[in-house]
Amino acid sequence: MGVNTIATMPFLIAATLLLYLPTIAIATDPCASQLEDSAITVIPIYGNCSPFKNLSDSWDTTIIQMASKDPLRVQYLFGLDTSLRKKRVSAAPIASGQAFNIGNYVVRVKLGSPDQLFFMVLDTSTDEAWVPCTGCTGCSSSATYSPQASTTYGGAVACYAPRCAQARGALPCPNTGSNACIFNQSYAGSTFSATLVQDSLRLALDTLPSYAFGCVNSVSGGSIPAQGLLGLGRGPLSLLTQSRSLYSGVFSYCLPSFKSFYFSGSLKLGPTGQPRRIRTTPLLRNPRRPSLYYVNLTGVTVGQVQVPLPTEYLAFDPNRGSGTIIDSGTVITRFVQPVYNAIRDEFRNQVKGPFVSIGAFDTCFVKTYETLAPLIKFQFTGLDLTLPYENTLIHSTYGAVACLAMAAAPNNVNWVLNVIANYQQQNLRILFDTVNNRVGIARELCN
């Protein structure tokens, strides 16, 4: 049926994208022989070209472990509500030195002069970029950014500068001591403290001078990306905004199948080289969570059945911050509980079962029933997306069991977001055009 197996999906473990930046500690580029071009290469975190490759666990075990972290991810998305920002700023990280353990898609990014190379997580729901800084307490990576080693280092942003106020979690200027801009953030259950600094940032063939990013000084918890993160959100410190004069607020990516081992996906920046013929749906902005990419999900079909869904759980509502977002960092698509229950129940009705639960997946069945599995279609304003089976089902390695690769959002928060996650985005070109306010989706095999 062309369905991904957990045994062959090293990259379902990814929930956000890593960028590859040269470091002074210097991180070895495992694919340095590959030529760079205008497309930025994207790899799965456990691929042959990734320094984080770990094949000690079976893929089904790894997927279950990574999907179990999605609730922390969606709680993080919930916390982006600007009305909650003051509460988040108050959290100060305490270094614990927990071991690095995160799975994401990655791209190569280079900071400073000479190049310091990093694999950074690429995250469409975060604005700021940040990397571990030399001397960081609690950072798990030996690849760290050294400001002193860069001839293009522009120093720390001042705490009284307007740019400092743009950082989520920025602290007020202290009464005494340094006037450097410090910000504290939470990410996937961990917290960190960083200094906002400026240096050149290079992606593929382009160099962005005086790019503002966080130099992480301390970490509490082991869930943040070991070599940092590049934010592709819609806020003032995101790559999209800081490079607007160069890329005109347009980018797209194609995430390879999780069974791909190589730099086969791509991140394309700017209008040039984007698909000319692509179906689009309006890109919406929600002031409660202004960094997120909202789209209007109007319905879901399972097979030939239009699933009856309560409209209040699908509707885009700026007052509540509710609606549907496209996110590169969450592993499997998460719907609010009533929406997920309706989709799952119709899927079960057509497959017949019996069903068991495995980790985050509550609709798993013997593979012999797979011929009954229906296609699932997401209906957006002006665009229908029928998911291929590889984006709908996953398989266990040894038990010949298939599972519906979707789940309900956490029920321990007042959750109002539906999240279209990266497993459902495999081998699709996803275009974000913030100038014309549209999101495009086209089938593209980028394995």
Side-chain angles (χ1 to χ4, degrees), residues 159-399:
C159 58
Y160 51 80
R163 180 167 264 189
C164 181
Q166 295 172 341
R168 183 169 60 89
L171 302 180
C173 287
N175 294 327
T176 59
S178 171
N179 66 351
C181 177
I182 305 295
F183 65 92
N184 298 331
Q185 290 188 9
S186 298
Y187 190 91
S190 298
T191 55
F192 66 90
S193 178
T195 303
L196 190 65
V197 301
Q198 298 178 101
D199 204 341
S200 62
L201 181 149
R202 185 154 73 92
L203 290 169
L205 302 179
D206 297 323
T207 298
L208 304 175
S210 301
Y211 194 92
F213 60 93
C215 194
V216 176
N217 304 310
S218 61
V219 176
S220 175
S223 298
I224 72 168
Q227 290 192 21
L229 176 146
L230 185 71
L232 273 178
R234 305 171 72 180
L237 290 182
S238 72
L239 174 66
L240 196 67
T241 301
Q242 294 197 58
S243 66
R244 186 167 294 276
S245 62
L246 183 62
Y247 300 131
S248 304
V250 177
F251 74 95
S252 73
Y253 57 70
C254 182
L255 305 182
S257 168
F258 289 112
K259 65 185 178 183
S260 173
F261 282 89
Y262 305 103
F263 279 90
S264 54
S266 64
L267 170 68
K268 294 184 178 180
L269 300 166
T272 304
Q274 303 297 354
R276 294 184 178 182
R277 302 174 63 89
I278 189 170
R279 297 169 298 159
T280 64
T281 187
L283 172 62
L284 308 175
R285 178 179 287 276
N286 196 318
R288 293 285 294 272
R289 298 183 179 88
S291 295
L292 306 185
Y293 292 94
Y294 279 83
V295 291
N296 191 28
L297 179 67
T298 59
V300 177
T301 62
V302 176
Q304 300 300 314
V305 177
Q306 183 75 44
V307 180
L309 300 175
T311 57
E312 64 269 25
Y313 294 109
L314 294 182
F316 173 72
D317 185 347
N319 295 321
R320 293 196 305 148
S322 61
T324 300
I325 66 168
I326 294 180
D327 178 46
S328 67
T330 308
V331 177
I332 57 174
T333 290
R334 302 273 178 161
F335 292 108
V336 294
Q337 190 79 53
V339 172
Y340 174 70
N341 289 350
I343 296 171
R344 176 202 61 195
D345 292 348
E346 180 55 41
F347 184 90
R348 288 180 174 181
N349 183 57
Q350 296 184 37
V351 176
K352 304 302 182 185
F355 302 99
V356 297
S357 295
I358 301 177
F361 310 106
D362 67 1
T363 302
C364 301
F365 51 93
V366 177
K367 186 178 179 181
T368 52
Y369 288 89
E370 188 178 330
T371 56
L372 301 175
L375 291 171
I376 294 179
K377 180 191 296 182
F378 294 158
Q379 298 165 313
F380 303 98
T381 300
L383 184 157
D384 288 348
L385 173 61
T386 300
L387 298 176
Y389 283 114
E390 69 170 350
N391 295 12
T392 304
L393 300 176
I394 63 171
H395 291 97
S396 66
T397 303
Y398 306 110

